[in-house]
Amino acid sequence: MKQINLLVALLMLACFTTSAQVDLTYQEPSKEIMDLADVPLPPSTAINEDGSVIVLIYRNQYKSIEELSEKEIKLAGIRTNPITNVSSRTRFSNNIKLMKKKGGIIDVKGMPEKARLANFAWSPDQSKMAFTNTVSDGTELWYIDIENAAAHKLTKATLNGNLGSPFTWMKDNNAIIAKVLPANRAAITDKSTSIPTGPIVSVNEGQKAQNRTYQDLLKDKMDEDNFMKLAESELKVISLDGSVKDWAPKAIYRNISFSPDGNYAIVSIVSKPFSYIVPYRRFPTEYVLMDKAGKSIKSIEKVPLIEELPKGFMAERTGKRNISWRADKPATLYWAEVLDKGDPEVKADFRDEVFELPAPFTADPKSIFKSINRFAGITWGNDNVAIAYDYWWNTRNQKTYLFNPSDATKKPEILNDRNYQDKYNDPGSFITERNQYNRNILVVDKGYVYLEGDGFSKEGQKPFIDKMNLASKKTVRLYQASNKDKLETISKIINIRKGQVITRIQSPTDYPNYYMRNIKSRRAPQPITQFENPFKSIAGVHKELVKYEREDGLPLSGTLYLPAGYDMNNKERLPLIMWAYPTEYKDKQSAGQVTTSANEFIYPYYGSPIYWVMKGYAVLDDASFPIVGEGEEEPNDSFVPQLVANAKAAIDYLDEQGYIDRERVAVGGHSYGAFMTANLLTHSDLFAAGIARSGAYNRTLTPFGFQAEERNYWEAPDIYNTMSPFMNASKMKHPLLLIHGVEDNNSGTYTMQSERYFNALKGLGATVRLVLLPSESHGYRARESVLHMLWEQDQWLEKYVKNKK
């Protein structure tokens, strides 16, 4: 038997040869990993407002590679299947069931066979839920009658889901506005068989267009034509009795938003000229006010093509934006406009001004609020009470205002002026309730409002509910979870006046389930769901939140996993896998805070390193990797030394505790975590090997900023070059496994990033392996891809870490 096992091991390792290419079919990882990676999961949930109904939505954990490889067109920032006319990256569900307050799980009658379900949406009164079902030749519209637990098909496969949600409920709950494929739509042109009629020419006459490196953009006139064919829809009224009426003619519709009373709608319509450097979201868009019959009343705003904006994350276009409806009024528009020309460099006492315009929309707009930072939204209450928000990314500042929307002469009161990354002092979010229009508005109860928060602190996570006096601004704590052995979080407020809330309770070995709790009663919470743990093989694993310090005194943390049965009294030094993702901060206080809980359920999702605790490794997951730049200093000014200091602190601590063999430590990460991994292997000797998935390694290929970096390459060439593993490929010291989806659509992480980095490392003699996953995007979806990825990682870790020579 030992000889057979040795032979199998040798055959497996033969795949890791020194040859340039490896002919390899999809592989599956070992049983220990398969038992966690390939299991059916409990359903996701959609809970109605009063908690009386839970919709259980079931789906397979993965797509198949066959499904993922269906026909796909990539244009103007969208990826779509031109046959089914729905996003080609949609995660379909396969069944729906209901759970009512009194009774068990109910099967829904009449569900489609071989269902591929998406776009779930409650009706305004939540008596129904609409969804789409994608079939071989298109996408259908369906709905469920909640009372009767019956599904009904409303249309043939004629919906157009190529540009966002393909339908919107009307106010009466008995009809839906649907985006429908135009009659006699022309066929998509096959570019592979077309003959060019001329060159592709782009022109710029002195304007600065410092855009991120978007992917899937239009490239020529044929792309423009195909985008038009895919994006154009006719709007139809689909009644639940099956009747169909025209609502609006053919156009490129983005969104439809009905007023609370249902008598009007804001409809956004995209038009030419298109762009080859930005996605469709920045194409010319007109916001049109229509009545419920589809008649155009007036143009609210015509937004031109946005290729040029002032520099900086807080740059904004001029004109009306955030156009929406007041939730507390039957039909009142509101929007924001910049007061600083949209330029963060312009000094201004106020950055934005908010206006409103009530029906019949013939008066002059009324100014109701000005924000010191960039406007971020409003929670509406009533004529006299509303809460507004703004933020400024550069300082991580957020302000919360109490203001009177009926009297602009009353100065808004700043309720909170804080660093939004400071989770320990987060006052929470204001609690809302549904009004007569079925819209969520602020709960205003006899001069009081309510807040709910995550409750992160040095002592751990303890979610809370507070009551605030609007006159004195003093708060009283009504409830705070104890969370000694379990984590209880607030999932939904049912009726705050009566103290009714739905919570979610979990522990490292207890799968999250929903409970009904009354915060005014000492009665134990009553269970609603009873989802079983699908990962039972991991139940005996030791989980611990460990805390340690960086050499400059900055507190750090991570979640440590040790194999089941690990002897804490006679510690064995194990190989370690560290997994992380860097985060930028503007102050050390926020950077050192712990925002995870040791009581969270152990969930080995596809990208997790937790699988390897089943194979004898210690795992440090979600390790703190703060990158801090205080005052005038930017975080990236000292990115590499801080990165190394974070890693060293974790290894030193675990080594001192006797958990790990520091000569056998691996580091890994996805996306920016992959970028981190490559830098750590280049600039330190802390690791035996690394795993980098879907990363970017040459920052000169993202010259107008990346991640949290606002400066362009020409303003900070040393930063870009120092931070680029590609530029430092000659310094690579340790084996690196590169994994990337062939169809990565994330801004900046082109598949080319891994291909060119691999070629550089190979040319310089480094130990490196490149695995490209066909049809996969930035995250991985197909079962075959995920299992093969896990196999690749397992082989790499076994050879270069666990059994390191």
Side-chain angles (χ1 to χ4, degrees):
M1 180 61 73
K2 288 183 179 179
Q3 290 179 333
I4 293 174
N5 288 338
L6 178 60
L7 178 60
V8 170
L10 289 172
L11 288 172
M12 297 286 273
L13 289 175
C15 295
F16 287 79
T17 65
T18 57
S19 61
Q21 301 298 132
V22 178
D23 186 13
L24 191 63
T25 58
Y26 286 112
Q27 301 293 305
E28 293 184 353
S30 62
K31 184 179 185 302
E32 299 95 329
I33 296 175
M34 283 292 287
D35 286 346
L36 297 173
D38 198 31
V39 297
L41 298 180
S44 59
T45 59
I47 306 174
N48 70 349
E49 288 298 317
D50 65 7
S52 62
V53 175
I54 299 179
V55 178
L56 305 175
I57 303 172
Y58 297 81
R59 66 174 175 84
N60 294 327
Q61 188 171 358
Y62 310 113
K63 287 175 174 275
S64 69
I65 193 64
E66 179 182 11
E67 184 181 12
L68 196 65
S69 301
E70 290 176 349
K71 188 171 180 61
E72 179 179 68
I73 288 184
K74 298 175 282 187
L75 295 171
I78 66 170
R79 292 189 171 190
T80 192
N81 184 324
I83 299 171
T84 60
N85 295 293
V86 71
S87 170
S88 51
R89 300 287 159 169
T90 300
R91 301 193 72 171
F92 293 113
S93 300
N94 55 40
N95 197 11
I96 298 174
K97 296 184 181 183
L98 303 181
M99 178 181 288
K100 298 190 177 181
K101 202 167 187 178
K102 296 180 180 179
I105 295 176
I106 304 169
D107 290 328
V108 176
K109 302 181 291 289
M111 289 294 294
E113 296 181 3
K114 298 180 180 178
R116 299 172 74 191
L117 315 176
N119 298 299
F120 304 96
W122 289 105
S123 62
D125 67 357
Q126 299 191 329
S127 65
K128 305 168 185 73
M129 176 174 279
F131 59 92
T132 59
N133 179 47
T134 298
V135 294
S136 61
D137 61 345
T139 297
E140 307 163 338
L141 178 61
W142 288 66
Y143 82 96
I144 293 173
D145 185 312
I146 300 296
E147 178 66 27
N148 300 318
H152 304 275
K153 178 179 173 181
L154 287 175
T155 70
K156 296 179 180 179
T158 56
L159 258 62
N160 189 346
N162 290 325
L163 222 63
S165 176
F167 65 85
T168 303
W169 278 98
M170 299 191 78
K171 175 67 177 178
D172 65 2
N173 305 290
N174 290 313
I176 293 171
I177 300 291
K179 297 178 185 176
V180 175
L181 298 174
N184 304 315
R185 183 179 76 168
I188 303 299
T189 304
D190 185 354
K191 290 186 69 174
S192 64
T193 61
S194 63
I195 299 174
T197 59
I200 301 166
V201 179
S202 298
V203 176
N204 189 67
E205 296 181 346
Q207 300 92 342
K208 290 184 178 181
Q210 298 190 15
N211 295 302
R212 290 293 174 112
T213 47
Y214 298 113
Q215 302 206 44
D216 303 338
L217 300 176
L218 302 178
K219 296 180 177 65
D220 52 39
K221 289 295 182 182
M222 193 171 296
D223 279 352
E224 291 190 47
D225 182 59
N226 280 339
F227 174 71
M228 287 281 291
K229 293 172 184 175
L230 289 168
E232 284 184 326
S233 301
E234 296 171 354
L235 297 183
K236 306 281 188 181
V237 179
I238 314 293
S239 295
L240 301 192
D241 62 9
S243 62
V244 179
K245 295 180 182 179
D246 293 338
W247 199 75
K250 182 173 71 173
I252 300 178
Y253 297 104
R254 283 183 59 183
N255 300 309
I256 304 164
S257 172
F258 277 98
S259 60
D261 66 4
N263 290 324
Y264 306 95
I266 304 165
V267 180
S268 52
I269 304 171
V270 176
S271 62
K272 289 187 173 183
F274 299 154
S275 170
Y276 295 1
I277 64 173
V278 294
Y280 81 90
R281 296 183 300 278
R282 291 171 65 172
F283 290 179
T285 301
E286 183 177 11
Y287 293 84
V288 180
L289 181 67
M290 294 184 173
D291 66 18
K292 63 181 178 181
K295 179 182 177 182
S296 178
I297 297 174
K298 66 182 295 183
S299 175
I300 304 171
E301 180 74 0
K302 290 184 178 180
V303 181
L305 175 65
I306 307 171
E307 287 188 337
E308 300 95 26
L309 279 174
K311 180 172 166 277
F313 290 162
M314 299 314 300
E316 191 50 84
R317 66 172 176 82
T318 57
K320 300 180 182 71
R321 73 177 202 282
N322 297 84
I323 303 170
S324 190
W325 299 102
R326 278 188 62 163
D328 61 330
K329 295 290 184 180
T332 296
L333 291 168
Y334 77 96
W335 63 84
E337 297 184 34
V338 297
L339 295 172
D340 58 2
K341 302 180 182 179
D343 188 347
E345 296 300 317
V346 172
K347 294 184 182 298
D349 293 332
F350 298 98
R351 294 286 175 181
D352 286 338
E353 186 171 12
V354 179
F355 297 87
E356 71 171 17
L357 180 63
F361 316 107
T362 54
D364 292 332
K366 172 187 171 185
S367 173
I368 58 173
F369 173 74
K370 291 180 181 180
S371 61
I372 296 171
N373 294 324
R374 192 66 75 210
F375 174 71
I378 293 176
T379 300
W380 296 101
N382 54 43
D383 283 334
N384 302 312
V385 177
I387 304 293
Y389 312 89
D390 70 16
Y391 80 107
W392 200 252
W393 179 87
N394 306 73
T395 57
R396 311 303 195 266
N397 179 254
Q398 180 185 61
K399 292 180 174 62
T400 305
Y401 305 80
L402 173 66
F403 76 103
N404 185 332
S406 297
D407 188 353
T409 63
K410 291 185 177 180
K411 185 178 179 181
E413 297 180 71
I414 297 178
L415 298 178
N416 295 296
D417 186 351
R418 56 183 296 272
N419 181 334
Y420 60 75
Q421 289 184 313
D422 178 5
K423 300 301 182 183
Y424 286 2
N425 294 296
D426 187 347
S429 302
F430 288 93
I431 293 175
T432 61
E433 62 185 352
R434 283 162 73 84
N435 63 6
Q436 68 268 35
Y437 306 115
N438 291 315
R439 300 296 177 94
N440 288 325
I441 62 168
L442 187 70
V443 179
V444 183
D445 182 17
K446 299 176 181 177
Y448 288 87
V449 293
Y450 300 85
L451 301 104
E452 60 166 309
D454 292 327
F456 288 112
S457 70
K458 292 180 179 179
E459 290 72 41
Q461 184 181 2
K462 298 179 180 180
F464 64 85
I465 295 176
D466 285 350
K467 186 176 183 179
M468 174 189 282
N469 185 304
L470 286 174
S472 68
K473 309 305 179 295
K474 293 181 179 180
T475 60
V476 176
R477 184 134 302 176
L478 301 180
Y479 165 79
Q480 185 154 27
S482 60
N483 289 347
K484 291 180 180 179
D485 302 314
K486 297 180 184 292
L487 174 62
E488 183 173 12
T489 53
I490 300 164
S491 182
K492 181 180 283 292
I493 305 293
I494 301 302
N495 188 321
I496 192 59
R497 292 178 174 86
K498 295 181 179 180
Q500 297 171 340
V501 301
I502 291 179
T503 64
R504 199 165 178 252
I505 299 178
Q506 59 187 300
S507 78
T509 56
D510 295 317
Y511 192 86
N513 273 287
Y514 293 99
Y515 292 75
M516 183 66 77
R517 175 185 280 280
N518 193 310
I519 64 172
K520 294 184 176 182
S521 168
R522 294 185 178 181
R523 187 183 178 190
Q526 301 302 301
I528 299 174
T529 61
Q530 295 179 332
F531 300 136
E532 292 188 5
N533 180 0
F535 307 110
K536 293 180 180 177
S537 64
I538 207 170
V541 164
H542 173 80
K543 180 182 180 182
E544 178 184 354
L545 181 66
V546 294
K547 300 178 182 180
Y548 46 94
E549 284 191 359
R550 204 165 73 177
E551 59 188 4
D552 61 357
L554 184 66
L556 303 176
S557 64
T559 305
L560 176 67
Y561 298 89
L562 299 171
Y566 184 83
D567 189 342
M568 302 295 287
N569 296 316
N570 299 291
K571 295 176 180 176
E572 175 189 359
R573 290 189 175 272
L574 304 175
L576 171 71
I577 303 169
M578 182 190 302
W579 208 264
Y581 190 95
T583 304
E584 298 84 353
Y585 294 87
K586 286 300 292 179
D587 70 299
K588 288 184 177 181
Q589 180 183 350
S590 301
Q593 294 179 356
V594 179
T595 56
T596 58
S597 171
N599 292 330
E600 287 180 330
F601 177 70
I602 301 176
Y603 195 111
Y605 70 97
Y606 89 91
S608 169
I610 297 172
Y611 300 101
W612 281 272
V613 76
M614 304 299 292
K615 302 202 70 175
Y617 294 78
V619 175
L620 184 66
D621 194 17
D622 198 23
S624 296
F625 266 75
I627 308 296
V628 185
E630 295 187 305
E632 295 299 316
E633 182 184 1
E634 290 298 322
N636 286 342
D637 291 349
S638 55
F639 178 83
V640 170
Q642 289 196 65
L643 210 62
V644 174
N646 292 329
K648 184 177 183 300
I651 293 172
D652 286 348
Y653 172 80
L654 295 175
D655 182 29
E656 290 167 3
Q657 296 300 310
Y659 291 128
I660 66 166
D661 174 1
R662 69 181 302 144
E663 296 300 317
R664 295 185 296 157
V665 178
V667 63
H670 191 96
S671 193
Y672 207 55
F675 176 71
M676 169 203 76
T677 297
N679 267 304
L680 285 170
L681 296 185
T682 300
H683 298 288
S684 79
D685 287 312
L686 296 168
F687 299 97
I691 299 168
R693 298 195 313 243
S694 299
Y697 309 103
N698 183 350
R699 299 278 50 139
T700 68
L701 297 177
T702 56
F704 290 108
F706 58 90
Q707 202 72 5
E709 180 56 66
E710 280 191 309
R711 295 166 293 188
N712 66 44
Y713 172 74
W714 296 272
E715 292 173 318
D718 290 343
I719 299 296
Y720 277 68
N721 289 324
T722 300
M723 290 180 66
S724 295
F726 181 88
M727 302 302 184
N728 296 279
S730 62
K731 302 175 184 176
M732 173 55 75
K733 305 172 182 180
H734 308 287
L736 176 61
L737 173 62
L738 294 166
I739 301 175
H740 217 121
V742 171
E743 305 294 340
D744 195 325
N745 68 333
N746 187 54
S747 178
T749 56
Y750 298 101
T751 308
M752 173 183 67
Q753 288 271 10
S754 285
E755 293 173 321
R756 291 189 175 179
Y757 188 38
F758 170 80
N759 288 334
L761 293 173
K762 182 175 182 290
L764 293 165
T767 300
V768 61
R769 179 179 175 91
L770 173 63
V771 179
L772 299 178
L773 300 174
S775 300
E776 293 291 354
S777 185
H778 191 61
Y780 314 144
R781 297 287 180 85
R783 177 181 183 274
E784 294 85 347
S785 302
V786 171
L787 297 183
H788 185 84
M789 176 201 75
L790 294 173
W791 179 84
E792 290 278 1
Q793 293 180 170
D794 192 36
Q795 300 303 305
W796 193 258
L797 293 168
E798 290 290 298
K799 180 175 183 179
Y800 291 109
V801 181
K802 191 174 188 179
N803 299 302
K804 175 187 175 184
K805 293 181 181 179

